[in-house]
Each structure stands twice: as C-alpha cells, then as structure tokens.
Amino acid sequence: MTDNLTILAPAKVNLYLHVAAVKPDGYHPLDSLVAFADVGDRVTVSRAPSFDFTVEGPFGGSVGNDADNLVVKVLLALAAHLGQDDLPLSVVLDKRLPIAAGLGGGSADAGAVLRGANLLLDLGLSDDVLEKIARAAGADGPMCYRARPALVSGVGEVLEAADDLPPLHAVLLNPGLPSPTGAVYKAYDTTGQGDADRPAPPADWSVSSVIDWLGHQRNDLEAPALSVTPAIQEALDAMAAVPTCRLTRMSGSGATVFGLFDSAEVALDAALSLDRTGWWVRPTVLGTPKLI
C-alpha cells in the first residue's frame, strides 16, 4: 500500500477552437480538437488524518488554496459522492503552468487530484463516474480528467475520442501575461464572429496531413484575446518567424501560443531560439501523456 502518489496535470491545447454566438443561458456552443502536453503541473496526494491543501511551485503565488480552487471543488464533490464531509488526504499542488494561459491548468489539476485520490484511497470508482464528478471544475473538467485527444462539442461537455491523432511535436510559448477567459468571451460577444462548425477530417492521420488540415481551421477567440491582451501578437509573430514552424496558433482563450514542428529535435531548437526574459517556453509532445 503506497502512502503517496504524484500525478501529472497536463497542459490542454486547443488545436483548433470554433465558437458560436452565446446562447440565452450564457454558454457558447463550440467545436474543438484538444490534445494534452507532456508538460504541466504536478499534484501529489498523500494519506493524512484530514484534508490539507498546499500550493507551491513557480506560479504557486498566484493561486489560492481556498474553496474557489478547482482542486478543492472537485474533492468536495468527490466527498459528497461518497457521503463524507471531506477526505483523508494531504494535497500538494506544484504549479508549473502559467496562470490564465489557455492551457486548462486549473481543470487539469482537478482531474489529476481525482485520479490520485481514487487510486490512493482504493475507491474503485470508474472513469465515467469520475468524469461526472470532474464537472465540478467546469466544462473543461471531464476532458482534463480524461487527458486524451478528443473532439469536443456542445459547450464542452460532449467528448469523442480522437485516437487517430498522431503525437505532434510542439513548442508552447506564453508571453508572461494572463488572458482572463471571462474578458476574452466578453470581447468575443461584442465583436467576435464564429461558428461551432465541425470540419471534415483530414485525408489521412499522418503528421504532415494533420498539420496541413489544422492550418485550414481557426481559433475564434484569438482576435478577441488580442483585443484584451495585445502582447499575444508578439508571441504569435515570434513563433511564426521560426523557419521550421509548420503552424502557429493561440490555444484556448490565450495567452499561450503553440507552434507545430516535424520532429523533437527541431522543436527543441525552436524553443531555445524563442527563450527570452519574462517568457515561458517549453518544447513538448501533444497527444496522450503518461500521467503517473
């Protein structure tokens, strides 16, 4: 019987993001292809007499450890599902992803802690049950618990496995500025135009064909995000200027942008060339990362 587990909370990347006008209930229909990086936060769960939650890491100072944190929200939901007030867990969140970065960090943390609690406490809950509990983290909760490539529709709650997606070599770049999701959607509602259309699949699922196909898609939140955080444009331009970069796009509501490359070696060289003071830059592989 192990006393602790450390789980990767992988960054979520929207390879494309098509967004429609807001509905009367305040939600936006969307269609997206998401993949998960082999970089992210780390969540360590340990057996303890009662619940305890600590946040550390390079971006930990910007994260609260109260009931508003998505880790706490999903653990309260898990405890309620079990008919308990809390759980005998000590949780340490090592926050390595930038905040408000369009990478689903908080939802990824929530998914990781659910996975860790289920294993450590021998709860025996199925993935279907845990995905439902993950909804306490919001629309991204179930997909970030699953942490596998998926086609996403509805308002983020409809997930279809995208197992044909090949691993994609990439570089993630955040210009050191947050891009608050609420403000971006507000700007989209004022000026944005888009539709939650599902594109026909690529001719084949080779890396080259997938990158070419993605080039015909879009992120409908990019222009609104640029109106809120204009400095994202500098990151987009810098990535696009790398000669070996096959595709440049913003992820989610920003401010992180990604570039796709033909190999790990080329991506690493690109990451080194993009490194500058105040920027967060990581080479990565997008797909289905190992979580434990």
Side-chain angles (χ1 to χ4, degrees), residues 105-128:
S107 298
D109 300 338
V113 79
L114 282 178
R115 190 177 299 276
N118 189 46
L119 292 171
L120 188 73
L121 300 178
D122 299 316
L123 300 178
L125 299 176
S126 69
D127 286 339
D128 286 344

Side-chain angles (χ1 to χ4, degrees), residues 11 46 114 145 152 224 277:
S46 306
L114 282 178
Y145 169 80
V152 183
T277 302

Side-chain angles (χ1 to χ4, degrees), residues 219-242:
N219 181 346
D220 289 332
L221 296 184
E222 189 169 296
L226 286 169
S227 72
V228 174
T229 310
I232 297 172
Q233 188 64 58
E234 185 180 359
L236 286 165
D237 291 345
M239 186 71 74
V242 177

Side-chain angles (χ1 to χ4, degrees), residues 46-276:
S46 306
R47 297 176 186 274
S50 59
F51 179 67
D52 179 67
F53 181 40
T54 303
V55 183
E56 59 185 31
F59 295 98
S62 301
V63 179
N65 63 350
D66 56 13
D68 289 332
N69 190 287
L70 297 184
V71 166
V72 178
K73 286 186 176 182
V74 297
L75 286 179
L76 287 173
L78 175 58
H81 176 82
L82 297 171
Q84 302 175 15
D85 292 330
D86 71 1
L87 298 169
L89 283 178
S90 175
V91 178
V92 178
L93 169 59
D94 181 3
K95 194 68 183 172
R96 303 184 184 187
L97 294 176
I99 308 302
L103 298 174
S107 298
D109 300 338
V113 79
L114 282 178
R115 190 177 299 276
N118 189 46
L119 292 171
L120 188 73
L121 300 178
D122 299 316
L123 300 178
L125 299 176
S126 69
D127 286 339
D128 286 344
V129 168
L130 290 166
E131 282 187 23
K132 290 177 182 177
I133 294 171
R135 292 175 185 169
D140 282 358
M143 74 180 81
C144 286
Y145 169 80
R146 187 178 295 191
R148 298 181 61 88
L151 288 159
V152 183
S153 56
V155 294
E157 83 285 8
V158 181
L159 305 177
E160 302 168 53
D163 293 335
D164 289 333
L165 184 73
L168 298 172
H169 296 288
V171 174
L172 304 179
L173 189 166
N174 184 281
L177 295 170
S179 180
T181 299
V184 172
Y185 270 104
K186 184 176 180 180
Y188 173 86
D189 291 339
T190 302
T191 62
Q193 294 184 351
D195 188 20
D197 51 310
R198 169 69 56 86
D204 64 75
W205 290 92
S206 66
V207 170
S208 183
S209 291
V210 167
I211 294 176
D212 288 343
W213 171 75
L214 287 171
H216 294 287
Q217 314 313 323
R218 60 190 191 274
N219 181 346
D220 289 332
L221 296 184
E222 189 169 296
L226 286 169
S227 72
V228 174
T229 310
I232 297 172
Q233 188 64 58
E234 185 180 359
L236 286 165
D237 291 345
M239 186 71 74
V242 177
T244 53
C245 185
R246 295 280 307 278
L247 174 72
T248 301
R249 180 164 290 149
M250 189 187 78
S251 177
S253 56
T256 304
V257 306
F258 65 90
L260 298 182
F261 298 83
D262 286 324
S263 70
E265 293 77 13
V266 173
L268 176 58
D269 287 343
L272 293 172
S273 73
L274 289 164
D275 189 26
R276 65 181 69 175

